[in-house]
Amino acid sequence: MLSRTFRAPIPEGAVSSGLTIETVDYHTAGEPFRIVTGGVELPQGATILERRADAAARLDHVRQLLVNEPRGHADMYGGFVVPPNDESADLGVVFFHNAGYSTACGHGTIALVTWALQEGVLEGVEPETRVVVDVPSGRLHSVASVRGQRVHSVRFRNVPAFVAAERLMVATSAGEARCDVSFGGAFYAFVEAAALGLTVSREDMPLLIRLGREIKHGLERAHEFIHPLEPALRDIYGVIFLEQLAESPTLSQQNVTVFADGEVDRSPCGSGTSARLALLYAGGQLSQREFLASRSIINTEFRGQVIEETRVAGYDAVVTEIEGSAHRTGQHRFMLDADDPIGAGFQLR
């Protein structure tokens, strides 16, 4: 377990006139997750939400450096590893992306647990190791499948998911879009791609990004989305375009999530899959313990299921589990020279 006094050390050889940050990078189902391991003081606060606010106030230059070009790209994602809210958890994390700091991230949680066990931050034991992670939206109980000193998959039990609104109409440049909004750690709007003449495909990505932005802003102009118990969990985080797949023994769908500032999730989106499970369950299309195969735009997969029913401040809600795998892609020492004219970088999209 990380103590509250944990600080990321400044590595030897740092550029004295600039900034040097160490990271370890993973991908989960194709979606990057850049883990800050050294070079900066950690976000401060008594809770993860307070640390998230502190990161936005004091450490945004670090986020920009790691997300922006030339060190990152418009679709980069990452996080600061921080102490948990209390000693009942093992890890805490503050997630970041191209526009700021998210409240939930399923693929990041899977990558973080994999990193912690494979890098020896926490002890892993076969066949399963339980790891408790505090994220901005709440506490996640995860189970890692460990074989031969390697983490083969991680499943996490998410915060309660619930349907916030159904059949909302939004005007877009491709016509009116019908949206269902559900919470799975963040608020997501779900849209059938075919209803807008699109497919979940690489060829349609530019249009999906444009319409994702239009739908997000249109919904937020017309409606207010605020978690009933935590006002910091608010607004539309992502728009998920859906495409139903051929019938199979397992209920399946393909999706692409456009979130933050037009960022595209390469994975099937863990918190978004949780929100989708809430919609399917409420509509009678999915039963408890029935698996959903949620597939991404690059055909990677998460498996999700509803574990039990619950209530959240007047909403019917469900507890879900999401499972996926993460893989290490690199280890980096990023530097910023004091006289670098582009500073913390740029984004072309």
Side-chain angles (χ1 to χ4, degrees), residues 258-314:
V258 179
F259 67 99
D261 184 15
E263 189 161 343
V264 177
D265 197 337
R266 275 72 171 148
S267 83
C269 187
S271 53
T273 296
S274 183
R276 179 61 175 164
L277 287 167
L279 276 166
L280 291 171
Y281 188 80
Q285 299 166 270
L286 184 84
S287 303
Q288 285 190 38
R289 304 284 177 172
E290 181 182 359
F291 280 106
L292 169 69
S294 185
R295 295 175 188 156
S296 74
I297 196 167
I298 61 168
N299 290 316
T300 53
E301 182 177 301
F302 287 161
R303 283 166 60 86
Q305 60 178 322
V306 171
I307 301 300
E308 62 187 21
E309 296 179 353
T310 187
R311 294 278 293 176
V312 175

Side-chain angles (χ1 to χ4, degrees), residues 190-242:
F190 292 86
V191 180
E192 293 288 343
L196 295 174
L198 299 173
T199 59
V200 176
S201 64
R202 302 179 192 190
E203 292 75 19
D204 281 347
M205 256 186 56
L207 277 174
L208 292 166
I209 292 170
R210 189 184 80 197
L211 293 175
R213 284 172 163 153
E214 291 178 12
I215 291 168
K216 169 183 166 66
H217 297 318
L219 284 171
E220 290 179 345
R221 281 193 299 268
H223 308 276
E224 197 171 56
F225 302 94
I226 304 174
H227 194 281
L229 300 179
E230 179 48 72
L233 309 179
R234 60 182 302 138
D235 302 329
I236 298 295
Y237 175 56
V239 176
I240 300 181
F241 295 95
L242 298 165

Side-chain angles (χ1 to χ4, degrees), residues 161-163 278 282 309-318:
F162 58 88
V163 178
E309 296 179 353
T310 187
R311 294 278 293 176
V312 175
Y315 287 92
D316 290 328
V318 292

Side-chain angles (χ1 to χ4, degrees), residues 243-255:
E243 187 174 290
Q244 301 304 319
L245 300 179
E247 290 187 13
S248 67
T250 301
L251 183 64
S252 61
Q253 66 178 30
Q254 192 158 27
N255 75 73

Side-chain angles (χ1 to χ4, degrees), residues 1-334:
M1 183 180 294
L2 293 178
S3 72
R4 283 188 179 275
T5 57
F6 175 81
R7 296 289 185 274
I10 297 176
E12 292 183 10
V15 179
S16 59
S17 60
L19 182 65
T20 300
I21 302 171
E22 292 190 342
T23 72
V24 176
D25 283 19
Y26 276 72
H27 82 83
T28 306
E31 178 71 357
F33 192 67
R34 178 160 286 167
I35 302 168
V36 179
T37 58
V40 294
E41 182 187 15
L42 294 181
Q44 301 297 298
T47 67
I48 302 299
L49 279 172
E50 289 181 8
R51 291 177 182 275
R52 176 174 176 257
D54 184 60
R58 293 193 308 111
L59 299 173
D60 204 51
H61 62 289
V62 176
R63 177 193 66 83
Q64 292 179 51
L65 188 79
L66 297 177
V67 169
N68 289 346
E69 296 184 50
R71 299 164 189 87
H73 50 80
D75 301 299
M76 178 54 69
Y77 208 106
F80 296 104
V81 185
V82 299
N85 289 341
D86 58 54
E87 293 185 354
S88 299
D90 301 296
L91 295 169
V93 60
V94 173
F95 301 118
F96 56 73
H97 49 64
N98 74 359
Y101 302 85
S102 60
T103 59
C105 179
H107 93 272
T109 300
I110 292 168
L112 183 70
V113 171
T114 303
W115 163 81
L117 295 176
Q118 293 195 165
E119 306 283 330
V121 176
L122 300 173
E123 182 182 2
V125 295
E126 297 186 24
E128 292 185 337
T129 301
R130 297 184 179 276
V131 179
V132 182
V133 184
D134 281 338
V135 306
S137 59
R139 178 160 287 178
L140 308 183
H141 293 263
S142 69
V143 178
S145 173
V146 181
R147 299 198 303 273
Q149 297 183 327
R150 289 194 59 79
V151 176
H152 283 259
S153 68
V154 174
R155 69 179 188 272
F156 67 91
R157 188 162 292 196
N158 202 9
V159 298
F162 58 88
V163 178
E166 294 181 275
R167 301 178 181 88
L168 300 179
M169 302 305 295
V170 182
T172 78
S173 56
E176 274 204 316
R178 200 198 90 164
C179 308
D180 298 324
V181 177
S182 186
F183 180 85
F187 287 102
Y188 292 91
F190 292 86
V191 180
E192 293 288 343
L196 295 174
L198 299 173
T199 59
V200 176
S201 64
R202 302 179 192 190
E203 292 75 19
D204 281 347
M205 256 186 56
L207 277 174
L208 292 166
I209 292 170
R210 189 184 80 197
L211 293 175
R213 284 172 163 153
E214 291 178 12
I215 291 168
K216 169 183 166 66
H217 297 318
L219 284 171
E220 290 179 345
R221 281 193 299 268
H223 308 276
E224 197 171 56
F225 302 94
I226 304 174
H227 194 281
L229 300 179
E230 179 48 72
L233 309 179
R234 60 182 302 138
D235 302 329
I236 298 295
Y237 175 56
V239 176
I240 300 181
F241 295 95
L242 298 165
E243 187 174 290
Q244 301 304 319
L245 300 179
E247 290 187 13
S248 67
T250 301
L251 183 64
S252 61
Q253 66 178 30
Q254 192 158 27
N255 75 73
V256 61
T257 303
V258 179
F259 67 99
D261 184 15
E263 189 161 343
V264 177
D265 197 337
R266 275 72 171 148
S267 83
C269 187
S271 53
T273 296
S274 183
R276 179 61 175 164
L277 287 167
L279 276 166
L280 291 171
Y281 188 80
Q285 299 166 270
L286 184 84
S287 303
Q288 285 190 38
R289 304 284 177 172
E290 181 182 359
F291 280 106
L292 169 69
S294 185
R295 295 175 188 156
S296 74
I297 196 167
I298 61 168
N299 290 316
T300 53
E301 182 177 301
F302 287 161
R303 283 166 60 86
Q305 60 178 322
V306 171
I307 301 300
E308 62 187 21
E309 296 179 353
T310 187
R311 294 278 293 176
V312 175
Y315 287 92
D316 290 328
V318 292
V319 176
T320 66
E321 279 189 352
I322 309 297
E323 184 172 15
S325 300
H327 302 273
R328 199 177 198 267
T329 60
Q331 184 171 354
H332 307 281
R333 176 175 287 186
F334 292 106

